[in-house]
Amino acid sequence: MFSFTLPDEVVASYAQREVPWGYRDAGGNALGEITFLRTYSRLKPDGTKERWHEVVRRVVEGMYSLLKDHHTSQRLPWDEAQAQAEAAEAYERLFELKWTPPGRGLWMMGTPLVNELRNSAALQNCAFVSTGDMTPEDPAGPFTWLMEASMLGVGVGFDTRGAELGFVLHEPGPEEDRYVIPDSREGWVESVRLLLEGYLCPGRPAVTFDYSLIRPAGSPIRTFGGTAAGPEPLRRLHGALRRVLGGRAGEPLTSTDIADIGNLIGVCVVAGNVRRSAEILLGSIDDPAFLDLKNPEVFPERNSYDKDAPGWGWMSNNSVVVESGADLARIVPGIVRNGEPGVLWLDTMRAYGRLADEPDHRDARAQGVNPCGEQPLESYELCTLVETYPSRASSKEDYLRTLYFAFLYGKVVTLLPTHWERSNAVMQRNRRIGTSASGLTDFADRHGTDVLVDWLDDGYARLREYDREISERLAVRESIRVSTVKPSGTVSILAGVSPGVHWTPGGAYFNRAIRFGKDDPLVVLFRAARYRVEPASEDPEGTVVVFFPVRSTATRSEKEVPLAEKADMALLAQRYWSDNAVSNTLTFDPETEADQVGPTLERMAGRIKSVSFLPQGNFTFPQMPYTQITAEEYEEAGRTLLPVFLDAIYDGDTEMLDAIGESFCETDDCELDELELAHESAGVVEPHH
């Protein structure tokens, strides 16, 4: 599978080297490692799981194999000695968590789907498709593309422009066609295409579906991992689409219909056990129905929380598309109430790269953004992302050098096509890359914003130099855009830094709640180590929540930072670093900062490409991802928790896991010495407190 491999002796020492995981918790366990093991470590053929040094090797060898394959196929010069030296340095910097691929890259780079089948779709984080591309010949095209991309774990943005095209709904039938749905991603998507065309094209027969070939719930999903959900999510989607579109012959296709179709598809995909999926819906500020999509008084069914008849409005974040001079006063009350809609300034997005530079209009064809808002995109375009961590660099020069390998990873991904011809036509032309910088607030609080600006400004200039150099070497076009700030998510936990431009929600001390399947073998270890484990409120039968008491290097929590300062950090990143966009959700206290939302929107117009808000308030939801705790609570947890014996998971040692599980007493009066004996039998070293 690999045309390029690192010598064993180069990486042998890393097997015994300590990984600088982020966020040690009160039990002495690394939350970064637990997150890696839960999310990014693949199961190997021998039943063991990848360790970090093995994932690093898979990523680097996969990346340099694709690079070498490109040189070979295009008959370009290839210097093996230079490539070996570069790859060894890329390995070192990735091992030390100075850069990482996005989570999808950690999971998929160097796997057969990427390196043998030569398909980059699984490496792409996010995408956008416009329903303005609906045609009479293919009216379902944008929706089926959204569905297939979502089933590949790609977050997808879409819009309501199709409502402006004059489509009229029809009633299918009376003839009937029968479609036996294949047990494949393509089969699910095709069934939705057939159903939608019955309502969007005149004279189509009604379709009945045979679900008998779809694998039953609980069956393994080999390519992406996890287990199948069976045919029920698809059956529910078909029924819901029929209820939304049926019996309305002659009525126009509305923005609400488009929202319903896209959201219902998203609910089906999430229920179908995809590792991740997300949606953003873009609409007009002049469309009252769009602004009310999440108002339960106007749309009670789509916003229902009845467990027997749940709604689907929650599936997307919704944003309005405006020009810089637009009057936004009418949406401020909604933002104060529930944070929606977000705002996308289309003219700024199309005209500018970084806001420190003159307009270049390179994104004149952009139509929307991905679900997290950091990438302006054309219709059918996907995001190629990669992550860097300035706060983990030893110096500015060290960071600038790291940028080379991060950017090279992104450029290599652009060499691979997807299986969508329309996407390839856009992506090969743009070669858009989002080299992200995360942990910016940690860096600014530690070194000051002036130093941060210096690093980011010089870093951007260096990225442009790298792009010219690498593109010339590869004989491909330079990238239309090269930098971004993405929300980071769990990869920032691996490195132990604040996410993107946001402050760490929990500050210096917090409980981090992480969800696991109740049968996940890790849960056995967490119970034995006396972690707080409880059923998940949204799925008490199948999911548990584990709470990890963490001490971070953050000096302030998100709640302690004023709204104006949060806006300033996003503006700084857009001005000096990101020539794409900046993913930013500005949290605010509705009791003390509600009157600042409108002025903040006015201040940001023309200076940033997108923004969203989220009211904090004084309320909390059960099992929130971050909950602040005191230093005393952290220390108290440290006197109780034990180290977790992760080797049993890495080694696939089911006998050891069974022994720990049997030794662990789950009753309320279980004594600590019994737990210690269980750990001693497993060979776990006692904690040092």
Side-chain angles (χ1 to χ4, degrees):
M1 181 169 63
F2 293 146
S3 59
F4 178 94
T5 57
L6 287 164
D8 290 339
E9 57 269 21
V10 171
V11 296
S13 63
Y14 288 92
Q16 306 302 321
R17 190 158 139 185
E18 183 176 357
V19 181
W21 295 115
Y23 295 140
R24 290 280 171 182
D25 70 12
N29 302 296
L31 188 60
E33 183 176 18
I34 290 168
T35 301
F36 159 73
L37 192 50
R38 169 190 178 271
T39 311
Y40 301 121
S41 172
R42 299 184 70 93
L43 188 66
K44 297 190 291 185
D46 62 1
T48 63
K49 295 204 73 175
E50 293 174 316
R51 294 179 182 264
W52 177 240
H53 71 277
E54 294 172 311
V55 170
V56 174
R57 184 172 195 173
R58 168 168 58 75
V59 167
V60 172
E61 290 185 341
M63 165 184 166
Y64 274 85
S65 289
L66 294 174
L67 186 64
K68 183 175 182 178
D69 293 346
H70 174 80
H71 278 258
T72 302
S73 65
Q74 299 302 308
R75 299 183 181 180
L76 299 173
W78 174 258
D79 188 329
E80 181 71 19
Q82 178 184 339
Q84 285 288 343
E86 275 193 9
E89 187 176 357
Y91 186 107
E92 165 70 19
R93 290 176 181 273
L94 176 52
F95 184 89
E96 289 294 318
L97 291 163
K98 295 184 177 185
W99 73 279
T100 63
R104 292 176 62 75
L106 286 174
W107 177 250
M108 293 304 297
M109 177 59 85
T111 65
L113 183 62
V114 172
N115 285 78
E116 287 184 356
L117 298 182
R118 319 291 294 177
N119 190 333
S120 72
L123 297 174
Q124 310 294 344
N125 283 59
C126 47
F128 176 80
V129 64
S130 174
T131 60
D133 289 329
M134 296 172 65
T135 65
E137 297 76 23
D138 186 21
F143 300 109
T144 54
W145 192 88
L146 180 154
M147 183 173 185
E148 186 181 9
S150 297
M151 292 181 75
L152 286 167
V154 177
V156 184
F158 66 113
D159 61 24
T160 62
R161 290 192 181 108
E164 303 167 7
L165 301 179
F167 278 91
V168 175
L169 295 176
H170 305 273
E171 196 66 28
E175 299 84 4
E176 282 196 359
D177 275 353
R178 183 170 176 269
Y179 180 63
V180 181
I181 305 172
D183 185 29
S184 65
R185 181 178 69 253
E186 294 82 3
W188 284 45
V189 172
E190 177 65 9
S191 74
V192 171
R193 183 186 70 80
L194 292 172
L195 190 150
L196 290 177
E197 287 184 349
Y199 294 101
L200 296 173
C201 300
R204 294 297 175 91
V207 183
T208 60
F209 295 113
D210 183 334
Y211 304 89
S212 61
L213 296 183
I214 297 177
R215 75 190 78 179
S219 303
I221 301 174
R222 295 186 181 89
T223 305
F224 284 93
T227 56
E232 192 55 34
L234 183 60
R235 196 192 309 269
R236 289 197 299 266
L237 172 61
H238 292 156
L241 291 175
R242 287 184 172 119
R243 288 193 300 274
V244 167
L245 302 175
R248 295 175 51 201
E251 295 183 18
L253 180 75
T254 67
S255 60
T256 304
D257 295 330
I258 290 173
D260 288 341
I261 295 169
N263 288 166
L264 285 166
I265 287 172
V267 171
C268 171
V269 171
V270 171
N273 235 354
V274 164
R275 292 173 60 81
R276 63 179 291 278
S277 188
E279 291 181 351
I280 189 172
L281 175 60
L282 306 180
S284 169
I285 196 171
D286 297 317
D287 181 354
F290 178 81
L291 297 180
D292 274 330
L293 281 175
K294 293 196 176 180
N295 186 340
E297 296 180 2
V298 178
F299 296 107
E301 185 181 8
R302 77 185 321 271
N303 294 293
S304 168
Y305 286 93
D306 185 339
K307 65 181 178 64
D308 297 320
W312 54 90
W314 55 269
M315 186 61 223
S316 65
N317 294 319
N318 300 338
S319 290
V320 293
V321 179
V322 299
E323 302 289 316
S324 296
D327 180 6
L328 303 179
R330 78 188 91 167
I331 64 172
V332 171
I335 294 173
V336 171
R337 183 173 60 251
N338 62 13
E340 290 206 355
V343 179
L344 169 66
W345 287 278
L346 187 63
D347 55 339
T348 305
M349 183 177 78
R350 288 176 167 174
Y352 285 90
R354 294 194 312 168
L355 268 291
D357 302 326
E358 292 298 315
D360 59 17
H361 302 282
R362 290 184 177 181
D363 259 326
R365 288 180 282 203
Q367 296 189 52
V369 293
N370 64 304
C372 295
E374 73 267 25
Q375 295 287 95
L377 297 169
E378 296 180 35
S379 188
Y380 292 98
E381 188 177 10
L382 294 98
C383 312
T384 301
L385 303 177
V386 63
E387 193 78 76
T388 66
Y389 309 100
S391 58
R392 292 192 66 109
S394 59
S395 65
K396 183 170 74 172
E397 282 305 316
D398 182 40
Y399 180 61
L400 298 180
R401 178 61 178 167
T402 295
L403 285 176
Y404 171 79
F405 298 101
F407 184 80
L408 179 62
Y409 169 90
K411 200 73 176 187
V412 166
V413 172
T414 72
L415 300 177
L416 277 186
T418 71
H419 57 291
W420 296 300
E421 293 180 358
R422 191 160 182 175
S423 295
N424 296 337
V426 177
M427 296 176 68
Q428 297 297 306
R429 165 167 44 83
N430 287 346
R431 296 194 182 271
R432 184 191 306 273
I433 296 171
T435 309
S436 183
S438 201
L440 299 186
T441 59
D442 287 347
F443 188 100
D445 282 350
R446 193 173 304 138
H447 303 290
T449 55
D450 289 346
V451 177
L452 177 61
V453 166
D454 178 56
W455 281 41
L456 296 182
D457 198 30
D458 285 357
Y460 180 77
R462 191 66 63 90
L463 280 180
R464 279 297 177 190
E465 292 175 10
Y466 291 149
D467 187 30
R468 286 189 290 272
E469 170 194 331
I470 294 170
S471 298
E472 183 173 324
R473 197 165 74 214
L474 297 175
V476 298
R477 297 184 70 165
E478 292 182 20
S479 296
I480 185 175
R481 302 289 186 218
V482 297
S483 58
T484 193
V485 179
K486 69 185 189 69
S488 292
T490 52
V491 291
S492 64
I493 296 176
L494 303 189
V497 303
S498 56
V501 294
H502 302 101
W503 277 261
T504 302
Y509 296 93
F510 56 87
N511 266 327
R512 179 68 164 96
I514 300 180
R515 282 159 169 75
F516 297 83
K518 70 179 181 64
D519 297 324
D520 191 317
L522 277 167
V523 175
V524 173
L525 302 181
F526 297 141
R527 291 185 187 278
R530 297 184 66 87
Y531 281 82
R532 176 183 160 198
V533 181
E534 60 189 40
S537 58
E538 76 283 0
D539 180 23
E541 299 300 319
T543 305
V544 298
V545 181
V546 184
F547 295 84
F548 299 90
V550 171
R551 176 171 60 190
S552 78
T553 58
T555 57
R556 294 182 292 171
S557 74
E558 188 176 45
K559 289 184 177 181
E560 296 170 319
V561 181
L563 174 60
E565 188 174 352
K566 295 169 185 172
D568 286 342
M569 179 57 70
L571 292 172
L572 181 153
Q574 184 73 83
R575 181 169 181 80
Y576 294 105
W577 174 256
S578 178
D579 61 6
N580 279 288
V582 176
S583 177
N584 64 103
T585 299
L586 307 182
T587 56
F588 65 96
D589 186 336
E591 294 185 4
T592 62
E593 296 180 313
D595 60 346
Q596 298 178 32
V597 172
T600 300
L601 274 172
E602 291 180 13
R603 182 164 69 93
M604 300 182 85
R607 302 174 63 197
I608 201 166
K609 299 178 183 180
S610 64
V611 66
S612 62
F613 292 81
L614 182 66
Q616 290 174 325
N618 294 320
F619 52 85
T620 58
F621 296 99
Q623 302 169 336
M624 293 180 69
Y626 291 87
T627 306
Q628 279 187 274
I629 60 176
T630 65
E632 291 73 22
E633 288 173 315
Y634 173 84
E635 294 296 335
E636 177 61 29
R639 288 188 281 272
T640 304
L641 297 177
L642 296 168
V644 177
F645 186 53
L646 296 179
D647 281 350
I649 304 295
Y650 283 120
D651 297 337
D653 193 338
T654 55
E655 291 184 4
M656 183 65 72
L657 288 168
D658 289 342
I660 293 175
E662 291 171 4
S663 300
F664 173 54
C665 171
E666 295 196 33
T667 60
D668 292 337
D669 59 354
C670 191
E671 297 294 332
L672 179 60
D673 56 355
E674 293 179 78
L675 291 169
E676 290 174 338
L677 285 172
H679 279 72
E680 185 178 344
S681 69
V684 181
V685 180
E686 292 186 4
H688 299 285
H689 294 302

